[in-house]
Amino acid sequence: IKRACICGLGIAYAGQRKEELNELLATPIGEGSIAESSLAAIASGLVNVSTCNDEVGTSIASRMMEATETDLDDSISAFLCLGLGLLYLGRSERCEAMLEILKTIEHSRAKFAAIVLEACAYAGTGNVLKIQQMLRLCAEHISDPVEAQHQTAAVLGIALVALGEEMGTEMCLRTFDHLLHYGELPVRRIVPLAYALLYISNPDYTVVDQLSRLSHDADSEVAMNAI
């Protein structure tokens, strides 16, 4: 019930920047279980989307610093990263200070968080340097899905940065085609979701056809993501 309430508050007050909600959500972020903290981070990110709110950002980063390895190994801790990213959505260079803070965290989740943060901050900008930076990460040969989590964020990050920019979208299509043919399995698995994100509300026939083919892929996770 507590977790559902946290999620409900975030959805109900998305974009409304209510200070009393920040105070209310500060407790589960700082003192709750990793699940409560992660969902509260998402809720705070939704309420304060694109505000670069230092207080909320610092509280989420502090929770990551204080979390145990077991907590950060839990898949739900990825929502801490997304909550942080939402605070800087579309704000480009404003995320630099937070990126420096994330460098002080030793767990691999910090690398994942940094990519999510940059992807959100540069969303829709078509920034070629950021796309190239994320593409280099995707080219690393890592077969372990746990160690490759930052790569999955990078694949989606490429689509998010190029979103809505015609030339960038064309480049990304070729990029995703290469990743499907030459990328490691953890990267291949996330490509169908990146296709969908790149063409959200724009059902291009060639992309729909590609996703239809991928829905019959030999790997069940590639197929499910395509569906």
Side-chain angles (χ1 to χ4, degrees), residues 11 17 25 29 68 77 80 102 130 138 152 155 181 191 193:
I11 294 165
R17 309 178 181 190
L25 292 168
I29 288 175
T68 63
S77 67
L80 283 168
L102 291 175
K130 293 298 171 189
C138 297
T152 63
V155 176
H181 284 93
V191 168
L193 296 178

Side-chain angles (χ1 to χ4, degrees), residues 131 135 158 170-180:
I131 291 174
L135 186 55
I158 290 169
E170 286 294 321
M171 286 170 56
C172 282
L173 272 184
R174 295 196 191 103
T175 297
F176 292 154
D177 194 45
H178 287 309
L179 291 178
L180 277 174

Side-chain angles (χ1 to χ4, degrees), residues 78 81-82 108-120 130 134-135 137-138 145 148-161 176 186-187 190-191 194 197:
C81 312
L82 184 55
S108 60
R109 183 63 75 194
K111 194 172 185 180
F112 177 90
I115 295 164
V116 170
L117 178 56
E118 283 197 284
C120 289
K130 293 298 171 189
M134 291 178 187
L135 186 55
L137 291 171
C138 297
Q149 284 181 352
H150 68 283
Q151 289 184 314
T152 63
V155 176
L156 289 176
I158 290 169
L160 199 56
V161 174
F176 292 154
V187 170
I190 213 74
V191 168
L197 180 59

Side-chain angles (χ1 to χ4, degrees), residues 59-105:
S59 68
I60 296 173
S62 296
R63 182 65 179 93
M64 290 181 69
M65 289 175 186
E66 293 162 7
T68 63
E69 285 216 11
T70 307
D71 283 345
L72 292 178
D73 285 341
D74 192 322
S75 59
I76 202 166
S77 67
F79 287 142
L80 283 168
C81 312
L82 184 55
L84 198 57
L86 288 171
L87 291 176
Y88 294 89
L89 187 68
R91 301 309 296 272
S92 303
E93 296 87 0
R94 293 284 299 276
C95 72
E96 294 299 328
M98 187 55 69
L99 285 171
E100 291 302 314
I101 292 172
L102 291 175
K103 286 177 183 175
T104 64
I105 302 170

Side-chain angles (χ1 to χ4, degrees), residues 10 12 23 37 41 49-50 58 69 76 86 108 112 136 155 172-173 191 194 204 212 220-221 223 225:
E23 293 170 12
S37 295
V49 65
S50 298
T58 303
E69 285 216 11
I76 202 166
L86 288 171
S108 60
F112 177 90
R136 277 196 294 272
V155 176
C172 282
L173 272 184
V191 168
D204 184 274
S212 181
S220 62
E221 284 198 42
N225 284 342

Side-chain angles (χ1 to χ4, degrees), residues 16-57:
Q16 296 194 26
R17 309 178 181 190
K18 284 184 175 286
E19 191 56 44
E20 59 266 37
L21 271 178
N22 292 342
E23 293 170 12
L24 192 63
L25 292 168
T27 302
I29 288 175
E31 300 170 19
S33 66
I34 191 63
E36 289 166 10
S37 295
S38 300
L39 294 174
I42 280 280
S44 291
L46 286 169
V47 172
N48 299 283
V49 65
S50 298
T51 61
C52 304
N53 188 308
D54 286 334
E55 197 172 323
V56 175

